[in-house]
Amino acid sequence: MSVAGIGIVSAFGTSHAAFRDALLDGRTGIAPVTGFDRSTCRSTLAAQVPDLDPSPWIPAMKLRRMDRTGIYAVIATKLALEDAGVRVAAEGNDRMGVLLGTWTAGGGSTEQFLEALFRGGPSAAPALLFDSTVANAAASLAGLEHRFRGPNVTVSHKEASGLAAIVGAVDLIREDRASALMTGGVDAIFETFFRACDRFRVMSAESAFSNRLAPFDAARSGFVLGEGGYGLWLAAGEPGDGRGGPAHGEILGVAAASAAVPLNAWPDRPEPMVRTMRLALEDAALGAGDVDVVYASANATPALDAVEAAAFVTLFGGGRAVITSVKGALGEFGASGSAACAAALLCGRAGLVPPIAGLDTPDPVAGSLRLARTAVPAPGPVVLINSVASGGALFSVVLRVRS
């Protein structure tokens, strides 16, 4: 199954080259939060999408009915279709659809709608935004805008939503429910959501980017939120067979599992992660020794990174696989798994693995792993991507980068 197109709305812009080069340079999009007052918050940093002008992609009248997750979804879909060279007929296509993951879709519009309602009563509530107060609005807008008449599905597994969507999309195409799907994730930071995360003290309290926000660093202190839209255009068939077209790569195997942990807790043992990765490799008809690069779910949370590092030691310790994470650059959010897939394909086609932004002193638990400290040559084209949700949902994807 080919990844025929990639669409990106990121902290580094909307072009493949800008996104790839920023990651390879080890840059970070993490900066002080803008858009609302954060003076009373413990956490003050995030990786936000800066100064995005949606007008080249979405007419002004349509923008009035969309919140930022919808905007990100529509733009990422348009960019992925353009990248894949796909044109949808005016009457639409019954075999094309959308399967998107999100943690925050609907929340931003709900915040605005309820604020106006409580302040000014029913007459003050912005009716145009009401349709965007539901979590499936972003996927629905992408389907309507691009005339897809196949499956339209939204999944939410918190931080793992984007990779969960890709796993689900692969299954739908394998079952011949669709011939092509837009999949991946979208998320947008809004004040109520940020303050809720801040209240529960799940984010780092650092006031500036440093190694304390770097995955696998011994001094790590927790994640910061990110946002954006990362879409993959998945097409039935293999690259170059006349259906998948000239693609970025192909998805070889997927897996979904879970760890039995308390509500909102990270996995506390490596065995469930090991099992999930092995299931994905089994689905791809590969073994751990065939993996060249791993994109970790590690997000600078002490407990998560330690457990995932232990899982990697079990499968890849002492081997050639290079391990990285994009969350020091992009933050943690519902689209981070699909962002990792985009990074794996775009950086992989350049023959490189991006460094873990900010990593200074690796945690000793990762001592036998080849952590990427600088941009390094990829040992080969096979990549494994992990996503873990607080609460225990686990997803793994194995792909092969096009040479």
Side-chain angles (χ1 to χ4, degrees), residues 52-75:
L52 176 69
D53 176 12
S55 61
W57 299 282
I58 305 172
M61 291 299 291
K62 289 183 178 180
L63 280 173
R64 297 174 62 198
R65 297 177 176 271
M66 297 184 187
D67 69 0
R68 284 188 296 127
T69 50
I71 291 169
Y72 295 165
V74 170
I75 294 175

Side-chain angles (χ1 to χ4, degrees), residues 209-253:
F209 181 77
S210 71
N211 66 313
R212 289 180 61 78
L213 300 178
F216 295 122
D217 197 282
R220 64 192 182 275
S221 64
F223 69 83
V224 299
L225 288 175
E227 66 175 4
Y230 298 84
L232 307 183
W233 184 251
L234 295 190
E238 308 301 328
D241 71 354
R243 292 186 296 164
H248 294 276
E250 58 186 317
I251 293 183
L252 305 176

